[in-house]
């Protein structure tokens, strides 16, 4: 048999084993597979690709998410004068932009990817599953930055709240975004049908709207328990506390820590769901 691989391209030990087998005719040994790509370079590549794709395809939806949050604040301005209720409305509307993109759109994206066979394409690449999930989640979460900043600044001006500590959004956006993006990816990967993934994402976004924007002290106690189970609640609370004249930074840090823990757990679940969906 004539090989199409040049002899110089074959490693020395393979040539030796091929030419001088122990017995019988020479046989061709299978070539070793390329080493699996490392996590961080793979994560950076997937993040850049997803960010470029989202910039083109998701810009109109980001405008809708921002317009929706600003519209809610304008409506609430007619019934809320100020105080803790105003802080809850502005903080909830700002984090709602993150929930709309990271939770709702990411659930739809992974649901479509799974239904359309796109997941098989990723599964053939030598990329760790965690890089695919984290890259997509990071791109969608970071894509919410302009809309969240615009909503927070507009709400602060509308309700005459101080903007001194809005820098805390540097921590609120990635941590709340990670927690919600992990849930959105898990919805899309675990739902048996694409339509169910879309439904779960929209239900999650609606929960973030109703339980995050409305003041907590106006809710019945069972609804308050459901609010405590929603990871975006802790991002809303952290941002709302910074509108105080003297924020309790220890409690703010605790709220952000809860977002971080939920983010790690939800992204781990999404990574497991990706492996499960890719091997089926």
């Amino acid at each position: 048999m004539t090989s199409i691989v040049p002899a110089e391209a074959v490693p020395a030990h393979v040539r030796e084993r091929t030419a001088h087998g122990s017995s019988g005719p020479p046989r061709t040994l299978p070539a070793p597979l390329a080493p699996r790509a490392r996590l961080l370079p793979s994560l950076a590549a997937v993040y850049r690709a997803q960010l470029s794709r989202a910039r083109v395809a998701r810009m109109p939806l980001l405008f809708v998410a921002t317009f929706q949050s600003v519209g809610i604040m304008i409506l609430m301005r007619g019934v809320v004068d100020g105080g803790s209720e105003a802080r809850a409305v502005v903080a909830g509307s700002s984090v709602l932009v993150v929930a709309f993109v990271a939770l709702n759109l990411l659930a739809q994206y992974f649901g479509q990817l799974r239904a359309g066979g796109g997941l098989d394409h990723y599964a053939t690449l030598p990329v760790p599953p965690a890089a695919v999930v984290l890259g997509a989640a990071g791109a969608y979460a970071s894509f919410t930055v302009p809309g969240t900043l615009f909503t927070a600044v507009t709400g602060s001006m509308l309700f005459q709240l101080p903007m001194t500590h809005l820098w805390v959004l540097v921590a609120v956006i990635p941590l709340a975004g990670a927690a919600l993006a992990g849930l959105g990816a898990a919805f899309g990967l675990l739902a048996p049908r694409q339509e169910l993934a879309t439904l779960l994402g929209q239900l999650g976004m609606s929960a973030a709207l109703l339980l995050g924007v409305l003041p907590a002290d106006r809710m019945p106690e069972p609804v308050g328990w459901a609010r405590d189970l929603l990871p975006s609640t802790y991002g809303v609370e952290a941002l709302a506390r910074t509108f105080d004249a003297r924020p309790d930074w220890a409690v703010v840090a605790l709220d952000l820590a809860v977002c971080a823990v939920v983010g790690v757990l939800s992204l781990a679940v999404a990574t497991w769901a990706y492996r499960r969906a890719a091997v089926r």
Side-chain angles (χ1 to χ4, degrees), residues 5 8 12 38 42-43 47 51-52 82 99 101 107 112 114 144 147 152 177 189 196 198 203 220 223 232 238 244:
V5 181
E8 294 78 4
R38 292 179 298 171
S42 303
L43 174 61
Y47 176 81
L51 196 64
S52 176
V101 176
Q112 293 171 357
R114 185 183 178 194
T144 65
L189 292 167
L196 289 178
T198 302
L203 287 177
V223 179
S232 61
D244 293 338

Side-chain angles (χ1 to χ4, degrees), residues 12-59:
H13 67 282
V14 174
R15 290 200 303 270
E16 184 178 358
R17 293 176 61 185
T18 303
H20 306 288
S22 59
S23 63
R27 58 188 179 88
T28 303
L29 298 177
L33 297 176
R36 197 171 184 82
R38 292 179 298 171
L39 175 62
L40 291 181
S42 303
L43 174 61
V46 174
Y47 176 81
R48 287 195 299 269
Q50 290 291 338
L51 196 64
S52 176
R53 176 184 177 278
R55 185 180 298 116
V56 176
R58 302 303 182 189
M59 184 63 76

Side-chain angles (χ1 to χ4, degrees), residues 59 180 193 267 270:
M59 184 63 76
L180 295 171
R193 297 177 58 184
L267 289 171

Side-chain angles (χ1 to χ4, degrees), residues 53-54 62 129 158 160 255 279:
R53 176 184 177 278
L62 179 62
L158 194 61
Q160 298 180 348
D255 288 330
V279 299

Side-chain angles (χ1 to χ4, degrees), residues 62 97-98 139-151 169 173-174:
L62 179 62
V97 179
V98 181
Y140 274 72
S142 60
F143 199 58
T144 65
V145 172
T148 306
L149 289 175
F150 179 79
T151 303
L169 287 172
I173 293 175

